[in-house]
Amino acid sequence: MRIPLAPVVVMCLVAAAWSADTATKAQARVTAAGTILQQIQAAPDQRIPEQVLASAACVAIIPSMLNGGFVLGLRYGRGVATCRTAKGWSAPAFFVVEGGSFGPQFGGQAVDLIMLVMNDDGMANLLSSKFKLGAQASVAAGPVGRQAAAETDWKMRAQVLSYSRCRGVFAGATFEHGKIKQDKDSTRAFYGHMVRPKTSLTGEIDAPSTTYPFLEPLATWARAAAER
């Protein structure tokens, strides 16, 4: 039995268009992550303290994570992460974060979420394909601005320090009940094939030049912190 050629061609064209759109969105996410970092670090009194950022093993950013609900709250977003390696910041890994909460709430908002993975245990969780915040990885609100000078225990508070920005307000924020898993669609579209989080985040592959808008600000602040 011969399959008509036209439907096959149409399916191939649709698949190609979908892949290109997904790749475009993944690249936009990388660029947005770098922009968010630059905007936040440009505000001295609200920025992530340099010594905190310089101590992070990995940095994960979710641009415009959606928060919303009525009594039952839902959180959903797609993000990008990088980790320190011997060669510098790694090629990015793409992930999906999902979470929920219960209590008096109504409406919705888009929040930029930053998570700093502070130790080897947190990094090991990030290297896996799926883990749960608050269960496998402890999360705490990170210090902001000059607070780090007065807080000597931030290195020991949690595996992950989290921050959020909503309507121009940036602060440490908890995100204790969430699930992080690999964004396989974005990974395939961006790299052209499947890449495991461990492969990209441990430096087994080089970071493409298209990721520099995200990685260069991190490298700049790491050098500045090291010189202090």
Side-chain angles (χ1 to χ4, degrees), residues 150-215:
E151 295 182 11
T152 60
D153 64 339
W154 55 265
K155 286 187 177 182
M156 304 174 62
R157 290 170 61 188
Q159 293 179 16
V160 178
L161 297 179
S162 63
Y163 299 83
S164 68
R165 182 179 66 170
C166 177
R167 297 179 182 176
V169 178
F170 179 71
T174 58
F175 183 66
E176 298 179 353
H177 302 290
K179 179 174 65 177
I180 291 180
K181 60 183 180 181
Q182 184 182 20
D183 184 348
K184 295 182 179 180
D185 290 340
S186 295
T187 302
R188 289 193 186 96
F190 187 82
Y191 288 107
H193 55 88
M194 179 52 63
V195 176
R196 295 185 306 160
K198 186 175 181 179
T199 299
S200 58
L201 295 178
T202 57
E204 293 182 33
I205 60 174
D206 292 331
S209 60
T210 51
T211 64
Y212 291 174
F214 175 35
L215 303 184

Side-chain angles (χ1 to χ4, degrees), residues 14-215:
V14 170
W18 176 85
S19 179
D21 180 63
T22 303
T24 299
K25 291 179 179 178
Q27 178 60 57
R29 202 171 305 137
V30 170
T31 303
T35 300
I36 290 167
L37 275 175
Q38 290 177 324
Q39 291 174 345
I40 288 172
Q41 295 305 97
D45 293 332
Q46 294 185 334
R47 68 190 300 174
I48 299 171
E50 284 186 352
Q51 59 267 48
V52 177
L53 190 58
S55 299
C58 306
V59 177
I61 299 180
I62 303 96
S64 299
M65 184 180 73
L66 299 178
N67 283 354
F70 178 73
V71 181
L72 178 63
L74 298 175
R75 297 172 177 175
Y76 178 84
R78 293 176 181 268
V80 58
T82 181
C83 293
R84 294 180 187 274
T85 72
K87 298 182 291 184
W89 292 97
S90 72
F94 295 88
F95 63 91
V96 176
V97 59
E98 302 169 335
S101 59
F102 188 84
Q105 54 196 311
F106 178 77
Q109 58 184 184
V111 176
D112 297 325
L113 181 69
I114 298 177
M115 295 184 293
L116 304 184
V117 178
M118 302 308 297
N119 54 40
D120 291 340
D121 289 339
M123 185 174 179
N125 282 322
L126 188 63
L127 294 178
S128 66
S129 296
K130 180 189 295 186
F131 73 96
K132 293 182 179 180
L133 295 170
Q136 294 164 278
S138 57
V139 184
V144 176
R146 298 180 176 86
Q147 291 183 27
E151 295 182 11
T152 60
D153 64 339
W154 55 265
K155 286 187 177 182
M156 304 174 62
R157 290 170 61 188
Q159 293 179 16
V160 178
L161 297 179
S162 63
Y163 299 83
S164 68
R165 182 179 66 170
C166 177
R167 297 179 182 176
V169 178
F170 179 71
T174 58
F175 183 66
E176 298 179 353
H177 302 290
K179 179 174 65 177
I180 291 180
K181 60 183 180 181
Q182 184 182 20
D183 184 348
K184 295 182 179 180
D185 290 340
S186 295
T187 302
R188 289 193 186 96
F190 187 82
Y191 288 107
H193 55 88
M194 179 52 63
V195 176
R196 295 185 306 160
K198 186 175 181 179
T199 299
S200 58
L201 295 178
T202 57
E204 293 182 33
I205 60 174
D206 292 331
S209 60
T210 51
T211 64
Y212 291 174
F214 175 35
L215 303 184

